[in-house]
Amino acid sequence: YLNILTTTRYRAVVKSGTCASAPSTQRIITVSPTSVGGTVTSNATVCSGLNGGTLTLAGHVGAIQNWQFSTDGGFSWSNIVNTTTSQTYLNLVTTTMYRAQVKSGTCVTVASAPATISVVPSSVGGNVNSNMTVCDGVNDDTLVLSGFTGTILDWESSIDGGTTWLPLGNFNDSLFFTNLTQQTMYHAIVQAGACALATSSAVTISIDAASVGGILSSDNTVCASGNSGNITLVGQTGNPNNWESSIDGGFSW
């Protein structure tokens, strides 16, 4: 027999002289369908170290011999003792491929189409540089986010010490602020792939009240070479850095 496609029985029919014919014993050639590996479903992207799922083999023909996994893109494979149609994974830290080995009867063993579990790094919020103090109403600067992992989803600001935060609609790694009038905190929200959101360190922009020179006590007229007195400053905002005098009507001090 050669290349038969269906299970087939064979026997011989024997006749001796004028005697009735007699059949031989039968032999059965059982034909197994060709092995078909099927397909593992489905690909997924997960967060490093905090993940889990179940893969399923479908469309295969034959018995599952075992599952296999690869962490080098399918170059080499390691066996997993599992003959069921499902395979679980848990807390992967490296992108991993999975497939099943299938064998139908005496046919050759074939591998299924694999599924790839892509592992992305965990979200890292990073750091914003740096706390600073600016003058009330006349100020500007640029904050920069560094050391983060993932995509910047937004920046947020808070004027109540971090109790509540408002989104700013900024998806860049820098944030420009201008003309703040009250203490304000800023941070960024970052997400890597399907990982949980991460929040950067917060920076606080403190506000100094604008300088107010204040008022000196009233003018006075005194006698040359025989006078003394005190001049008093009131109503100022800030600390006096020094006093100045002018003898040319205020042209130079």
Side-chain angles (χ1 to χ4, degrees):
Y1 59 90
L2 179 67
N3 295 337
I4 59 176
L5 301 177
T6 305
T7 296
T8 305
R9 294 172 179 261
Y10 291 90
R11 71 180 183 181
V13 179
V14 179
K15 181 175 174 62
S16 175
T18 60
C19 298
S21 299
S24 68
T25 57
Q26 298 180 21
R27 286 296 179 262
I28 301 173
I29 307 303
T30 302
V31 177
S32 300
T34 302
S35 303
V36 176
T39 302
V40 177
T41 56
S42 58
N43 297 335
T45 299
V46 298
C47 184
S48 177
L50 186 62
N51 54 72
T54 300
L55 302 171
T56 302
L57 177 67
H60 61 291
V61 176
I64 298 170
Q65 305 301 296
N66 57 271
W67 284 71
Q68 295 180 321
F69 72 93
S70 173
T71 57
D72 57 9
F75 180 76
S76 61
W77 294 87
S78 299
N79 290 333
I80 302 172
V81 179
N82 178 14
T83 58
T84 69
T85 58
S86 61
Q87 173 64 44
T88 61
Y89 62 88
L90 182 66
N91 296 340
L92 300 178
V93 295
T94 303
T95 294
T96 305
M97 300 174 69
Y98 291 90
R99 71 182 185 184
Q101 296 283 89
V102 179
K103 180 179 175 64
S104 175
T106 58
C107 300
V108 297
T109 300
V110 297
S112 69
T116 300
I117 309 303
S118 300
V119 177
V120 298
S122 299
S123 305
V124 177
N127 298 291
V128 180
N129 73 304
S130 66
N131 295 336
M132 65 183 75
T133 301
V134 298
C135 184
D136 183 13
V138 183
N139 54 74
D140 64 71
D141 209 330
T142 299
L143 304 176
V144 177
L145 178 66
S146 61
F148 63 97
T149 299
T151 300
I152 298 171
L153 300 183
D154 205 351
W155 288 70
E156 295 179 328
S157 66
S158 173
I159 57 174
D160 59 7
T163 300
T164 58
W165 293 87
L166 298 176
L168 300 177
N170 179 18
F171 316 112
N172 302 313
D173 60 1
S174 61
L175 175 72
F176 179 75
F177 68 84
T178 183
N179 296 341
L180 299 180
T181 59
Q182 56 187 319
Q183 178 173 292
T184 306
M185 298 177 68
Y186 294 96
H187 67 202
I189 306 298
V190 178
Q191 184 176 33
C195 301
L197 302 180
T199 302
S200 73
S201 63
V203 64
T204 300
I205 311 301
S206 301
I207 306 296
D208 275 342
S211 302
V212 176
I215 301 171
L216 295 182
S217 56
S218 60
D219 295 340
N220 199 5
T221 301
V222 297
C223 183
S225 72
N227 55 73
S228 65
N230 292 315
I231 301 172
T232 303
L233 174 67
V234 295
Q236 79 274 14
T237 300
N239 297 313
N241 285 336
N242 57 276
W243 286 69
E244 297 177 330
S245 65
S246 173
I247 58 173
D248 59 6
F251 180 77
S252 59
W253 292 88

